C-alpha cells in the first residue's frame, strides 16, 4: 500500500534554508525575494524580471498577505 503524499503550507517558523528549499521544490521559473540581513538591512533579489514585473508580483504578495494567505 502506498501512502498519500501531500505538502503542508508554508510555515511562519521556517528558516531561510527551509523556505528556499520549498520554493526550489515548486519548480518556480522566476522569483522575488525580500528579507533582512543580520544588521536589519532590507535586501531584495529577483530573477529575470523588470522592476515593473517585480512591483506587480510584490503587489500580489501584499494582497495575499492581507487576505490571510488566500489567493
Amino acid at each position: 500500500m502506498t501512502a498519500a503524499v501531500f505538502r503542508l503550507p508554508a510555515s511562519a517558523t521556517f528558516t531561510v534554508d527551509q523556505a528556499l528549499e520549498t520554493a526550489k521544490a515548486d519548480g518556480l521559473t522566476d522569483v522575488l525575494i525580500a528579507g533582512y540581513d543580520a544588521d536589519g538591512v532590507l535586501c531584495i533579489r529577483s530573477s529575470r524580471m523588470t522592476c515593473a514585473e517585480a512591483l506587480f508580483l510584490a503587489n500580489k504578495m501584499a494582497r495575499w498577505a492581507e487576505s490571510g494567505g488566500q489567493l
Side-chain angles (χ1 to χ4, degrees):
M1 179 163 76
T2 304
V5 177
F6 60 94
R7 294 190 54 196
L8 298 174
S11 169
T13 60
F14 271 178
T15 65
V16 170
D17 289 334
Q18 289 171 314
L20 292 173
E21 285 303 317
T22 60
K24 289 185 341 186
D26 284 339
L28 304 178
T29 59
D30 299 300
V31 296
L32 178 61
I33 300 168
Y36 295 105
D37 68 12
D39 295 323
V41 176
L42 178 65
C43 297
I44 299 172
R45 301 290 184 270
S46 65
S47 65
R48 298 186 318 162
M49 64 179 68
T50 65
C51 287
E53 292 165 331
L55 176 61
F56 175 80
L57 186 54
N59 281 322
K60 288 188 77 148
M61 291 166 45
R63 287 195 301 278
W64 174 85
E66 290 168 345
S67 68
Q70 302 294 318
L71 292 176

